[in-house]
Every structure is written in C-alpha cells, then in structure tokens.
Amino acid sequence: DCSDENLDQVLDLLFSNEFFLGSAVTTPFKEKVCNNKSLKLTNETKMIGAANCIFKKNKHFFATNTDGEAAINSLKSKYPIIGDKKIMVLGTGGTAKAVIAFLLNSVLKNNILNFGRSKENLDIMYSKFGCLTYDWPSINDHLNEIDIIINCTSVGWGEYTGTTPISEEDLIKLKKNTYIFD
C-alpha cells in the first residue's frame, strides 16, 4: 500500500531491490512519481508531467507514459503519420497530453489541432505543446482539412457508449480517406 506521504519511501525500497524491474503507476500517483529524484524522465514524460510506467534499463530507473506511445505505435501500424498530415486531437486531459507529446515526434506542431471545452485547459495545451487549440464548437469548421482524428475524450465508452464526439451529419464533411482513431 502506498500513500502521498510514503510514495518516495516505497519507490526507494523498490529501487533498492535488485529483482525490481518495473511497475505500472496509477492514479493518484502519475504526476507525483515524476518528482522522484531517482527517476529519469523520458522527454515526452517531462512534457506530459505524468508517468504510468517505471522500468529499469542499464541500472537506472526511468519513468514514461505508455498511453501516448502505445496510441501512436498502434496508429502508425495502420496509417502513415508524417509531418504533413493534419491531425485533430479531441480532448485536453491526460490521454490527449500523452498522445500529443508523442505525436510531436512525427508531426509538425502546426499540423496538430487540439479541441476542448475549457479555455483554461486549451491554454495549458498550447503552452505545453505549442499546437493549435480550438474550442469545441469550432470542430465542424475544420473537418474538411483533417487526415486523422484521434478521440481522447470519454465520449464513446462507459456511460457515453453509443455516443460520438462528431455527429453523423457532420462526418460527411470529412475527406474520404480521413482515418479515425479512438
């Protein structure tokens, strides 16, 4: 068991065990674990400010965020992501941050369009990543220029199963070869 007060003690104990190779990190520790002085953060994790995975490599412990890495690797296996693709990222939460941080390795930041409901969260996204940010109602104004849509919202699962962030009527505005990733 772990608490805010003993997180560093638990991590130090794990790091001192020669058999410890890595661990998943869950809420509420994804951001707090990044403050541990024994961990080296990947560049993407520094940008995101949250890690969900600790692993040992060459006697050092690293923290990374596999949400973004897994999403981008999965997407790349089906669709080529290159610098000139226009990518719409829906949402401003942790998953969107992770996805955008890893997208920046493959795509120009001006080709990433991030949509959200909160101006405050969009301002954070712009300051962290420098991508283009837009309020939610303006999605329809950009659909005809998008090559890839990545849904990083809770719309479509859980209590929102059967719903979509883009209406069926508006989907016809997409180019025929637009790829949608959820």
Side-chain angles (χ1 to χ4, degrees):
D1 289 334
C2 190
S3 67
D4 284 345
E5 294 77 30
N6 72 352
L7 176 62
D8 283 328
Q9 289 176 306
V10 169
L11 290 173
D12 291 342
L13 181 65
L14 291 171
F15 298 154
S16 68
N17 184 320
E18 66 179 295
F19 299 107
F20 178 71
L21 300 177
S23 174
V25 178
T26 62
T27 303
F29 302 115
K30 289 182 178 185
E31 293 175 356
K32 294 173 185 138
V33 76
C34 292
N35 297 324
N36 186 281
K37 306 267 187 257
S38 299
L39 284 170
K40 297 177 186 282
L41 305 180
T42 62
N43 290 334
E44 294 85 4
T45 301
K46 288 177 190 173
M47 290 175 67
I48 300 163
N52 68 351
C53 178
I54 295 171
F55 64 95
K56 187 176 186 178
K57 181 177 178 182
N58 300 328
K59 299 182 182 181
H60 296 284
F61 287 97
F62 294 84
T64 191
N65 190 305
T66 61
D67 292 335
E69 186 174 12
I72 299 311
N73 287 341
S74 177
L75 184 57
K76 281 181 176 180
S77 74
K78 301 289 183 191
Y79 192 90
I81 300 176
I82 54 176
D84 64 342
K85 299 289 185 198
K86 289 271 189 180
I87 301 177
M88 177 183 280
V89 177
L90 305 178
T92 57
T95 302
K97 288 175 186 163
V99 165
I100 290 173
F102 280 90
L103 271 176
L104 289 171
N105 293 327
S106 304
V107 179
L108 301 170
K109 66 182 172 185
N110 287 338
N111 286 349
I112 301 171
L113 290 71
N114 180 226
F115 292 81
R117 293 175 298 204
S118 158
K119 180 172 175 11
E120 181 182 341
N121 288 345
L122 287 168
D123 289 345
I124 291 168
M125 297 299 276
Y126 179 78
S127 67
K128 272 186 179 277
F129 305 110
C131 59
L132 303 173
T133 57
Y134 300 93
D135 64 343
W136 197 264
S138 65
I139 287 174
N140 293 336
D141 299 336
H142 299 276
L143 289 175
N144 63 346
E145 63 187 271
I146 299 301
D147 297 298
I148 302 170
I149 297 174
I150 302 175
N151 180 25
C152 297
T153 71
S154 57
V155 176
W157 64 275
E159 66 183 85
Y160 301 106
T161 300
T163 61
T164 178
I166 301 172
S167 72
E168 288 184 47
E169 303 86 54
D170 291 326
L171 287 175
I172 62 170
K173 296 176 184 173
L174 295 173
K175 296 187 274 184
K176 284 188 175 201
N177 61 345
T178 299
Y179 195 84
I180 300 174
F181 184 85
D182 186 70

